[in-house]
Amino acid sequence: MKNYFDEYVERRGTDSRKWSKVGMEEMAEYIDDESIPLWVADMDFKAPKIVIEKLKERALEGVFGYNIPDASYYESIRYWNEKRKGFFVEPNWVISTTGVVPALNFAIKAYTEKGDGVIIQSPVYPPFKNSIINNGREVLDSRLIFDGETYHMNFEDLEEKAKNPKTKLMIMCSPHNPVGRVWTKEELEKVADICVKNKVILVADEIHSDLILFNNKFTTIGNISEEILNSSIICTSPSKTFNLAGLRVANIIIPNEKLREKFLNKIIEIGEKPIPNLFGAVGVEAAYSEEGEEWLEELIKYLEENFKIFKEFIEKNIPEIKICKLEGTYLPWIDFRGYNLVLRDLKNKLEKDAKLVVDNGEIFGNIGAGFVRINIACHRSILMETLKRLEKTFKRK
């Protein structure tokens, strides 16, 4: 299985958003044929063989008409959540969407009115803030606290913002992107208590919940308490775990019937249908299987080794760069503040000198200034070349 991840997959010229010049231009001003993309959360590995085989089988049927998922689709979701998270999901709790970001927008529209407040915790995935602003709601930013190595929630501030009568919704990233935290059960219990006490609906983005590293333990918000289960929207998808983002499928878990009905009505109101893409449905069933789980366990080992190599090299050769603790995801959060560079100068060094395309910290909120998010879900040769370029560019003489 390890050789499966050691296989180099050439992605240039394959309409890859990550590897194409057009895609890289979203984040970088200076790109050429030598630029290495380390930005969008897109792995460079082939999907599990079971997924590829099942997609081939479906394609060979040759008819691609309207589809509707059958019982086996929902059984695969039940199986995966129960096996991996100890979380039992009833089939009727699940609503399919084309992705988690559309689901965030549906939730904002369904559960809030214009001018209402929505809590986020920056630095955080940019669509959280953008979805709130684009829908005419107010962003209430309860910033995370950085202790020099990792991040923590500011529960005092979170409670103050939840008490605000205008606050109707909180969007939580769990595990957190970009800071790599896997929230503990105790932390999640505090979030749940605050939300329940103040009647704030919680949207939990758990898209990275299968990518838990170094024996950390993930707890779904659905297992915290009956009260928070009844007032939560849990966003899941195989897209990050198995690199299936192009199949456009997410499964939104809403146990509360009234909340589920409001969510469904909003989807229908804007002309969408709560049905997964034909190939997305095939991908879900194939990935959420024993074969998919075996592949995932090997992937986690490969990602852990990539991070160890990355961290040890930086600490030994470029100690001015600080690596935040990575508990989950494949997206290390890197602190470049020791160089005292403004954004323009840091971008120039990374893009022009090192020829690396990364996510600069400011896109995750002002609190991310001086930080960079790097994608290490790549072939080890790409990782080593990245490290060589960082050393050449940032090592002080």
Side-chain angles (χ1 to χ4, degrees), residues 252-263:
I252 314 307
I253 300 167
I254 311 178
N256 182 294
E257 185 178 356
K258 289 183 178 179
L259 294 182
R260 191 166 62 249
E261 185 177 347
K262 282 187 175 183
F263 190 90

PDB file of all heavy atoms in Angstrom, residues 252-263:
ATOM      1  N   ILE A 252     -24.807  16.625   4.729  1.00  0.00           N
ATOM      2  CA  ILE A 252     -25.083  17.500   5.857  1.00  0.00           C
ATOM      3  C   ILE A 252     -26.033  16.777   6.803  1.00  0.00           C
ATOM      4  O   ILE A 252     -27.124  16.354   6.399  1.00  0.00           O
ATOM      5  CB  ILE A 252     -25.695  18.833   5.379  1.00  0.00           C
ATOM      6  CG1 ILE A 252     -24.904  19.396   4.183  1.00  0.00           C
ATOM      7  CG2 ILE A 252     -25.752  19.818   6.532  1.00  0.00           C
ATOM      8  CD1 ILE A 252     -23.406  19.525   4.405  1.00  0.00           C
ATOM      9  N   ILE A 253     -25.598  16.631   8.042  1.00  0.00           N
ATOM     10  CA  ILE A 253     -26.346  15.844   9.029  1.00  0.00           C
ATOM     11  C   ILE A 253     -27.107  16.794   9.952  1.00  0.00           C
ATOM     12  O   ILE A 253     -26.500  17.595  10.668  1.00  0.00           O
ATOM     13  CB  ILE A 253     -25.388  14.945   9.836  1.00  0.00           C
ATOM     14  CG1 ILE A 253     -24.643  13.991   8.880  1.00  0.00           C
ATOM     15  CG2 ILE A 253     -26.140  14.169  10.905  1.00  0.00           C
ATOM     16  CD1 ILE A 253     -23.462  13.286   9.512  1.00  0.00           C
ATOM     17  N   ILE A 254     -28.437  16.706   9.912  1.00  0.00           N
ATOM     18  CA  ILE A 254     -29.291  17.589  10.717  1.00  0.00           C
ATOM     19  C   ILE A 254     -30.330  16.731  11.441  1.00  0.00           C
ATOM     20  O   ILE A 254     -31.386  16.403  10.885  1.00  0.00           O
ATOM     21  CB  ILE A 254     -29.989  18.650   9.841  1.00  0.00           C
ATOM     22  CG1 ILE A 254     -28.975  19.340   8.912  1.00  0.00           C
ATOM     23  CG2 ILE A 254     -30.696  19.678  10.726  1.00  0.00           C
ATOM     24  CD1 ILE A 254     -29.589  20.359   7.978  1.00  0.00           C
ATOM     25  N   PRO A 255     -30.058  16.348  12.694  1.00  0.00           N
ATOM     26  CA  PRO A 255     -30.990  15.476  13.424  1.00  0.00           C
ATOM     27  C   PRO A 255     -32.338  16.119  13.749  1.00  0.00           C
ATOM     28  O   PRO A 255     -33.359  15.436  13.770  1.00  0.00           O
ATOM     29  CB  PRO A 255     -30.216  15.146  14.716  1.00  0.00           C
ATOM     30  CG  PRO A 255     -28.767  15.357  14.343  1.00  0.00           C
ATOM     31  CD  PRO A 255     -28.784  16.512  13.411  1.00  0.00           C
ATOM     32  N   ASN A 256     -32.342  17.436  14.004  1.00  0.00           N
ATOM     33  CA  ASN A 256     -33.577  18.116  14.397  1.00  0.00           C
ATOM     34  C   ASN A 256     -34.482  18.314  13.180  1.00  0.00           C
ATOM     35  O   ASN A 256     -34.105  18.929  12.186  1.00  0.00           O
ATOM     36  CB  ASN A 256     -33.243  19.469  15.037  1.00  0.00           C
ATOM     37  CG  ASN A 256     -34.472  20.206  15.518  1.00  0.00           C
ATOM     38  OD1 ASN A 256     -35.312  20.625  14.735  1.00  0.00           O
ATOM     39  ND2 ASN A 256     -34.573  20.373  16.827  1.00  0.00           N
ATOM     40  N   GLU A 257     -35.708  17.792  13.266  1.00  0.00           N
ATOM     41  CA  GLU A 257     -36.621  17.800  12.111  1.00  0.00           C
ATOM     42  C   GLU A 257     -36.954  19.218  11.656  1.00  0.00           C
ATOM     43  O   GLU A 257     -36.994  19.501  10.451  1.00  0.00           O
ATOM     44  CB  GLU A 257     -37.900  17.040  12.459  1.00  0.00           C
ATOM     45  CG  GLU A 257     -38.848  16.891  11.286  1.00  0.00           C
ATOM     46  CD  GLU A 257     -40.086  16.083  11.637  1.00  0.00           C
ATOM     47  OE1 GLU A 257     -40.172  15.585  12.775  1.00  0.00           O
ATOM     48  OE2 GLU A 257     -40.963  15.962  10.760  1.00  0.00           O
ATOM     49  N   LYS A 258     -37.197  20.126  12.596  1.00  0.00           N
ATOM     50  CA  LYS A 258     -37.561  21.496  12.219  1.00  0.00           C
ATOM     51  C   LYS A 258     -36.394  22.210  11.542  1.00  0.00           C
ATOM     52  O   LYS A 258     -36.582  22.922  10.541  1.00  0.00           O
ATOM     53  CB  LYS A 258     -38.011  22.278  13.457  1.00  0.00           C
ATOM     54  CG  LYS A 258     -39.367  21.839  13.990  1.00  0.00           C
ATOM     55  CD  LYS A 258     -39.802  22.688  15.165  1.00  0.00           C
ATOM     56  CE  LYS A 258     -41.184  22.256  15.664  1.00  0.00           C
ATOM     57  NZ  LYS A 258     -41.622  23.055  16.838  1.00  0.00           N
ATOM     58  N   LEU A 259     -35.174  22.023  12.075  1.00  0.00           N
ATOM     59  CA  LEU A 259     -34.002  22.630  11.445  1.00  0.00           C
ATOM     60  C   LEU A 259     -33.761  22.022  10.066  1.00  0.00           C
ATOM     61  O   LEU A 259     -33.382  22.725   9.113  1.00  0.00           O
ATOM     62  CB  LEU A 259     -32.762  22.440  12.323  1.00  0.00           C
ATOM     63  CG  LEU A 259     -32.745  23.164  13.671  1.00  0.00           C
ATOM     64  CD1 LEU A 259     -31.426  22.901  14.401  1.00  0.00           C
ATOM     65  CD2 LEU A 259     -32.960  24.667  13.491  1.00  0.00           C
ATOM     66  N   ARG A 260     -33.977  20.732   9.967  1.00  0.00           N
ATOM     67  CA  ARG A 260     -33.773  20.037   8.689  1.00  0.00           C
ATOM     68  C   ARG A 260     -34.764  20.551   7.643  1.00  0.00           C
ATOM     69  O   ARG A 260     -34.408  20.781   6.484  1.00  0.00           O
ATOM     70  CB  ARG A 260     -33.926  18.527   8.900  1.00  0.00           C
ATOM     71  CG  ARG A 260     -33.486  17.682   7.724  1.00  0.00           C
ATOM     72  CD  ARG A 260     -33.334  16.220   8.117  1.00  0.00           C
ATOM     73  NE  ARG A 260     -34.559  15.598   8.574  1.00  0.00           N
ATOM     74  CZ  ARG A 260     -34.792  15.207   9.825  1.00  0.00           C
ATOM     75  NH1 ARG A 260     -33.869  15.365  10.765  1.00  0.00           N
ATOM     76  NH2 ARG A 260     -35.933  14.624  10.161  1.00  0.00           N
ATOM     77  N   GLU A 261     -36.001  20.755   8.053  1.00  0.00           N
ATOM     78  CA  GLU A 261     -37.034  21.231   7.125  1.00  0.00           C
ATOM     79  C   GLU A 261     -36.703  22.644   6.642  1.00  0.00           C
ATOM     80  O   GLU A 261     -36.854  22.954   5.450  1.00  0.00           O
ATOM     81  CB  GLU A 261     -38.391  21.219   7.826  1.00  0.00           C
ATOM     82  CG  GLU A 261     -39.541  21.590   6.903  1.00  0.00           C
ATOM     83  CD  GLU A 261     -40.888  21.502   7.606  1.00  0.00           C
ATOM     84  OE1 GLU A 261     -40.952  20.928   8.715  1.00  0.00           O
ATOM     85  OE2 GLU A 261     -41.870  22.016   7.042  1.00  0.00           O
ATOM     86  N   LYS A 262     -36.217  23.494   7.544  1.00  0.00           N
ATOM     87  CA  LYS A 262     -35.847  24.856   7.147  1.00  0.00           C
ATOM     88  C   LYS A 262     -34.694  24.833   6.145  1.00  0.00           C
ATOM     89  O   LYS A 262     -34.687  25.597   5.168  1.00  0.00           O
ATOM     90  CB  LYS A 262     -35.422  25.670   8.380  1.00  0.00           C
ATOM     91  CG  LYS A 262     -36.571  26.168   9.231  1.00  0.00           C
ATOM     92  CD  LYS A 262     -36.055  27.100  10.310  1.00  0.00           C
ATOM     93  CE  LYS A 262     -37.207  27.714  11.102  1.00  0.00           C
ATOM     94  NZ  LYS A 262     -36.718  28.682  12.124  1.00  0.00           N
ATOM     95  N   PHE A 263     -33.729  23.971   6.390  1.00  0.00           N
ATOM     96  CA  PHE A 263     -32.566  23.841   5.503  1.00  0.00           C
ATOM     97  C   PHE A 263     -33.019  23.365   4.120  1.00  0.00           C
ATOM     98  O   PHE A 263     -32.633  23.928   3.088  1.00  0.00           O
ATOM     99  CB  PHE A 263     -31.575  22.857   6.124  1.00  0.00           C
ATOM    100  CG  PHE A 263     -30.231  22.803   5.461  1.00  0.00           C
ATOM    101  CD1 PHE A 263     -29.196  23.634   5.883  1.00  0.00           C
ATOM    102  CD2 PHE A 263     -29.982  21.902   4.433  1.00  0.00           C
ATOM    103  CE1 PHE A 263     -27.946  23.574   5.285  1.00  0.00           C
ATOM    104  CE2 PHE A 263     -28.728  21.832   3.832  1.00  0.00           C
ATOM    105  CZ  PHE A 263     -27.711  22.667   4.259  1.00  0.00           C
TER     106      PHE A 263
END
